[in-house]
Amino acid sequence: MTTSSFSLDLAEKLKAIVGSQYTLTDADKKKPYSNGIRLGGGDAYAVVRPSSLVEIWKVLQACVEADVIVIMQAANTGLTGGSTPNGADYDRPIVIVSTMRISDIQLIDQGKQIVGLAGSTLFGLEERLKPYSREPHSVIGSSCIGASIVGGVCNNSGGALVQRGPAYTEMSLFAQVTENGELQLVNNLGIDLGSDPEEILANLQNHTYQETDVQFPDKRGSDNEYHERIRDVDAETPSRFNNDPRRLYESSGCAGKLAVFAVRIDTFPIPEKHQVFYIGTNDPAVMEQMRRDMLSTFTNLPVSGEYLHKSSYDISKKYGKDSYLVIDKLGTKYIPKMFAIKRTVDRWAEKFSFMPNKFSDRIMQYMSQMFPNHLPKRMEDFRAKYDHHWIVETSNDGVAEAKAYLDTFFKDNEGDYFACTDREADQAILHRFVTGGALTRYHIMNGKDLGSIMTIDVAFPRNEQDWFEVLPQDIDDKIAVKMYYGHFFCHVMHQNYIMKKGVDGKAVKKQILASYDVRGAEYPAEHNVGHEYLAKPALREFYQKTDPTNSFNSGIGGTSKLKNWQELSDEHTDCGCHK
């Protein structure tokens, strides 16, 4: 079959399955799906947007028959480019399957567990669970930007909530391509849905199964051992990291090497009482002592503990202000719409050569400065006094326990704290959340005088004492801006940098990561390896076992992009098909 006849044949098949309106082949329309939110991007033969699980199955059948690479994509909110193509050196065309039209969420056992279909989101789950006084695994950060439930499981995402750990389940419904090249459906949801693939998928989406069809197998719907693991503050390994072999299981951690239709996960009761404490200190050792005390001696584990260095506080205050105001005034449900509007505005602006790059960001930044200071006075006072800021959330009996500890601790140690009002708590947590995008905005507004952005997502060992980074002078001299924040209880740090002009950020990153290897740190900590990190041997083996023909999300973690995991030979390089 010639290339042109192949293109016509597959395109027509995809249109027949999902409709012409939802089969995108125009380069301009494909761009929001083929480019990552922060990095990564490449060409895709087509983007399809199915409306049902059966349509996904039929699309997969057509793609396997045509021998193309499939990238399953949900909200495309990943920060390491792991749900888009990367470059042009693939040996087969790529079809991106966007699942966001399939957002159903089904409750099991009065909401104690849920089944989230392929495009269901954390925000949608929060809304669905409110009448049952329960909440999802993750309620910080990811839910605000429309992240999907399935995407979180596939990428071992999250873990900010101390008692719950990263997203994880052993119950899912997925398709995989066998080593013989056959597409098969695997139902490990613990629900009797029939035997034929289309019957199973239709019965699930239409919720035609009965309560008696739901089993409760001895399989985890969350990382229910994490609260014990994080308490071991003397362990020489991190409490959580992306390629932890303990939590690589079928869809969990698969990074798109399976086509996941649905996952079954645990939910959690909303605390009856909660209190946020805002802590400030100038001594990293003081923070580390508090962390060790709270984890090892408290009867009631805190809910979360979000860290901000003063540099992050300041950059977030100025360059995350518009995101803060949108969420604060309009609610988190508006954030996915805002991202969609931004993409549309930028796409149109790119058509005009006189328009500046990232036009929407520039307009939003200028507009945000018209508003008064949005942060509360007590936080601002702490910023003037302290370099290190820690937002510790507690619940139920843990509130009184934490207050008594902090009252005693600060009688003899440097620093201070205050108990936030409800409004201050919302403001502090929101200020921390918008930090993630603030450095990118800073770079957009000041980039002409700066080099590239370089980010690191690292998990330090639980017994690490010197957690705050002090770079060697030869590396420090190459960096213009440093931004530190993270989830301090689990020693997961986001260490972001902007290089000085002309500096090779990749080379600097390689130096820093080498120093982490010596210290027993793991990276990435909570984001998928994507196309930013190399998958370590255990993770590569998991990918190859899961997807033996390399049909899904080829090239993830620096692995082979070729069929059957071949390596790129000199002869193949010269043929030109990878250029």
Side-chain angles (χ1 to χ4, degrees):
M1 183 183 292
T2 65
T3 301
S4 59
S5 61
F6 159 81
S7 297
L8 180 63
D9 185 55
L10 181 57
E12 290 306 312
K13 285 183 179 180
L14 296 176
K15 289 176 182 178
I17 297 168
V18 305
S20 298
Q21 180 183 356
Y22 298 108
T23 305
L24 311 179
T25 55
D26 179 79
D28 196 42
K29 293 181 180 178
K30 290 187 293 183
K31 197 170 183 179
Y33 303 91
S34 60
N35 283 6
I37 190 173
R38 178 186 284 179
L39 61 84
D43 187 40
Y45 164 78
V47 176
V48 293
R49 302 181 58 220
S51 64
S52 71
L53 300 179
V54 171
E55 283 188 3
I56 293 180
W57 175 255
K58 291 180 177 179
V59 166
L60 294 176
Q61 287 179 311
C63 288
V64 170
E65 182 183 358
D67 194 22
V68 301
I69 295 169
V70 174
I71 296 179
M72 300 295 295
Q73 185 184 94
N76 194 17
T77 57
L79 300 179
T80 57
S83 56
T84 64
N86 185 61
D89 54 338
Y90 295 87
D91 63 343
R92 294 153 289 168
I94 296 171
V95 173
I96 297 173
V97 181
S98 172
T99 63
M100 295 306 288
R101 295 178 66 204
I102 310 169
S103 58
D104 301 8
I105 296 170
Q106 300 171 5
L107 303 184
I108 292 176
D109 194 16
Q110 293 296 303
K112 293 178 182 176
Q113 289 185 328
I114 64 97
V115 174
L117 301 196
S120 57
T121 65
L122 286 168
F123 175 76
L125 183 53
E126 281 188 63
E127 295 296 302
R128 188 83 166 84
L129 290 174
K130 279 181 181 177
Y132 299 85
S133 297
R134 300 186 73 84
E135 61 187 9
H137 150 268
S138 179
V139 294
I140 294 176
S142 297
S143 58
C144 294
I145 58 174
S148 75
I149 297 170
V150 169
V153 169
C154 292
N155 294 317
N156 287 134
S157 299
L161 300 186
V162 180
Q163 302 159 12
R164 303 178 191 177
Y168 179 74
T169 187
E170 295 169 357
M171 295 174 284
S172 60
L173 173 65
F174 58 87
Q176 65 183 154
V177 176
T178 69
E179 59 185 5
N180 297 322
E182 298 177 357
L183 182 71
Q184 67 176 18
L185 188 71
V186 179
N187 179 15
N188 285 338
L189 276 177
I191 304 174
D192 185 0
L193 296 165
S195 55
D196 176 74
E198 291 190 22
E199 176 191 15
I200 291 170
L201 296 169
N203 283 339
L204 176 62
Q205 184 153 10
N206 297 328
H207 205 165
T208 54
Y209 58 90
Q210 306 298 317
E211 283 190 25
T212 53
D213 295 321
V214 180
Q215 296 112 33
F216 292 88
D218 186 21
K219 291 186 176 183
R220 292 186 175 92
S222 62
D223 187 353
N224 57 5
E225 296 175 335
Y226 183 75
H227 64 284
E228 298 172 357
R229 182 175 176 84
I230 199 172
R231 282 187 179 274
D232 187 0
V233 295
D234 292 316
E236 297 179 350
T237 56
S239 56
R240 62 181 175 100
F241 52 98
N242 181 266
N243 63 316
D244 183 353
R246 297 168 51 255
R247 293 296 176 254
L248 297 176
Y249 185 92
E250 295 181 345
S251 63
S252 293
C254 75
K257 301 302 287 181
L258 297 170
V260 182
F261 291 90
V263 294
R264 177 174 169 181
I265 59 174
D266 296 337
T267 69
F268 303 87
I270 296 175
E272 296 178 3
K273 179 181 180 181
H274 79 279
Q275 175 66 59
V276 170
F277 298 99
Y278 198 95
I279 299 169
T281 180
N282 289 308
D283 187 351
V286 168
M287 278 193 60
E288 181 58 32
Q289 186 59 55
M290 285 189 287
R291 170 189 169 273
R292 292 177 64 86
D293 289 345
M294 291 182 187
L295 291 177
S296 61
T297 68
F298 275 26
T299 301
N300 306 279
L301 277 176
V303 174
S304 66
E306 296 298 291
Y307 168 73
L308 272 177
H309 183 254
K310 64 179 180 181
S311 62
S312 295
Y313 185 107
D314 294 344
I315 292 173
S316 181
K317 178 181 175 181
K318 182 173 182 179
Y319 295 97
K321 186 175 182 179
D322 59 304
S323 295
Y324 177 105
L325 293 173
V326 168
I327 297 172
D328 188 47
K329 304 303 180 185
L330 300 178
T332 56
K333 64 181 179 182
Y334 190 76
I335 288 296
K337 297 177 184 177
M338 185 181 78
F339 275 103
I341 293 170
K342 281 176 82 286
R343 285 194 294 265
T344 300
V345 169
D346 287 337
R347 194 165 70 244
W348 280 100
E350 287 174 2
K351 297 178 183 295
F352 302 95
S353 59
F354 62 87
M355 298 289 278
N357 184 41
K358 300 291 184 181
F359 179 70
S360 65
D361 283 277
R362 296 176 186 276
I363 291 296
M364 293 175 71
Q365 182 61 33
Y366 288 129
M367 290 179 62
S368 71
Q369 301 311 300
M370 299 169 60
F371 291 83
N373 184 8
H374 55 292
L375 299 179
K377 184 178 184 304
R378 289 203 288 181
M379 276 178 59
E380 292 284 75
D381 289 344
F382 266 47
R383 167 59 190 93
K385 295 178 183 178
Y386 302 116
D387 290 353
H388 305 282
H389 299 243
W390 196 18
I391 306 161
V392 175
E393 183 176 359
T394 59
S395 64
N396 297 335
D397 293 342
V399 173
E401 185 176 23
K403 187 178 186 307
Y405 169 82
L406 292 170
D407 284 340
T408 301
F409 184 84
F410 283 115
K411 288 179 181 178
D412 302 314
N413 291 279
E414 184 270 339
D416 201 358
Y417 86 97
F418 64 85
C420 295
T421 64
D422 289 345
R423 176 59 179 159
E424 287 173 329
D426 290 341
Q427 290 173 298
I429 292 170
L430 185 50
H431 181 57
R432 159 63 185 89
F433 164 67
V434 300
T435 305
L439 191 71
T440 302
R441 175 67 59 76
Y442 181 103
H443 191 260
I444 290 170
M445 303 304 296
N446 304 283
K448 63 182 177 60
D449 301 317
L450 299 167
S452 61
I453 291 178
M454 189 266 283
T455 65
I456 293 179
D457 168 33
V458 60
F460 292 113
R462 284 165 279 178
N463 66 348
E464 177 65 75
Q465 298 282 341
D466 298 324
W467 60 272
F468 184 69
E469 181 175 75
V470 179
L471 291 170
Q473 195 62 48
D474 65 318
I475 295 179
D476 200 57
D477 288 343
K478 298 175 182 178
I479 299 172
V481 179
K482 290 180 287 190
M483 194 172 178
Y484 300 129
Y485 57 97
H487 315 297
F488 190 60
F489 277 120
C490 50
H491 268 174
V492 166
M493 301 299 296
H494 301 300
Q495 309 200 146
N496 298 346
Y497 317 84
I498 301 179
M499 300 294 107
K500 291 181 178 177
K501 204 160 191 175
V503 171
D504 183 349
K506 291 183 178 179
V508 173
K509 184 170 186 172
K510 189 175 181 179
Q511 286 181 277
I512 295 175
L513 292 182
S515 72
Y516 292 162
D517 290 336
V518 174
R519 297 167 63 183
E522 292 281 355
Y523 49 85
E526 61 182 357
H527 301 146
N528 178 262
V529 289
H531 294 288
E532 189 173 13
Y533 298 88
L534 295 179
K536 294 184 178 180
L539 191 58
R540 293 171 69 98
E541 290 173 13
F542 175 67
Y543 290 163
Q544 288 184 264
K545 180 181 178 181
T546 302
D547 180 20
T549 62
N550 205 15
S551 297
F552 291 104
N553 210 10
S554 307
I556 194 79
T559 59
S560 171
K561 293 180 177 179
L562 308 184
K563 187 174 182 180
N564 297 322
W565 298 92
Q566 299 175 67
E567 294 300 331
L568 194 62
S569 66
D570 292 338
E571 179 183 355
H572 215 114
T573 302
D574 294 338
C575 78
C577 67
H578 290 273
K579 298 179 181 178

